[in-house]
Amino acid sequence: MNLIWDQITLSYFSASKWLNASYIYRLVGIFSQWRQHSFLLQWGEAIGALLLSLVFIFSLLLPLFVVIAEGENGPISGDRK
């Protein structure tokens, strides 16, 4: 009974054995050299922070752009006569 319970609770689970048998790990392992030399992956956090900052800034400025567009061209809703 203990043997079955140990298998159910993964008491003797070895991550290294699972990784060695995993097809995904083998596929990703092929690209390990590319990952180490990739510009995008090396600067991924900085690029993500920059993109997030741009989205945040433009979301704050969007109401201003809408007001400017309404002032120049009339209402945006399409109720022009």
Side-chain angles (χ1 to χ4, degrees), residues 44-55:
E45 290 183 14
I47 293 170
L50 175 70
L51 291 175
L52 188 61
S53 300
L54 289 174
V55 167

Side-chain angles (χ1 to χ4, degrees), residues 5-6 12 16 22-23 27 38 41-42 57-58 63 68 77:
W5 182 251
D6 289 341
Y12 299 107
S16 62
S22 169
Y23 290 115
L27 179 65
S38 171
L41 289 175
Q42 289 176 357
I57 290 169
F58 284 125
I68 292 172
S77 63

Side-chain angles (χ1 to χ4, degrees), residues 20-74:
N20 289 336
S22 169
Y23 290 115
I24 294 173
Y25 183 74
R26 289 180 187 177
L27 179 65
V28 171
I30 294 171
F31 298 110
S32 64
Q33 278 297 103
W34 175 79
R35 284 190 317 229
Q36 292 173 355
H37 300 292
S38 171
F39 174 78
L40 292 177
L41 289 175
Q42 289 176 357
W43 291 91
E45 290 183 14
I47 293 170
L50 175 70
L51 291 175
L52 188 61
S53 300
L54 289 174
V55 167
F56 182 70
I57 290 169
F58 284 125
S59 70
L60 293 175
L61 296 175
L62 184 64
L64 177 65
F65 295 145
V66 170
V67 169
I68 292 172
E70 282 183 356
E72 292 177 356
N73 302 323

Side-chain angles (χ1 to χ4, degrees), residues 1-14:
M1 185 67 179
N2 282 340
L3 180 64
I4 295 171
W5 182 251
D6 289 341
Q7 289 180 352
I8 292 173
T9 59
L10 301 174
S11 295
Y12 299 107
F13 178 74
S14 174

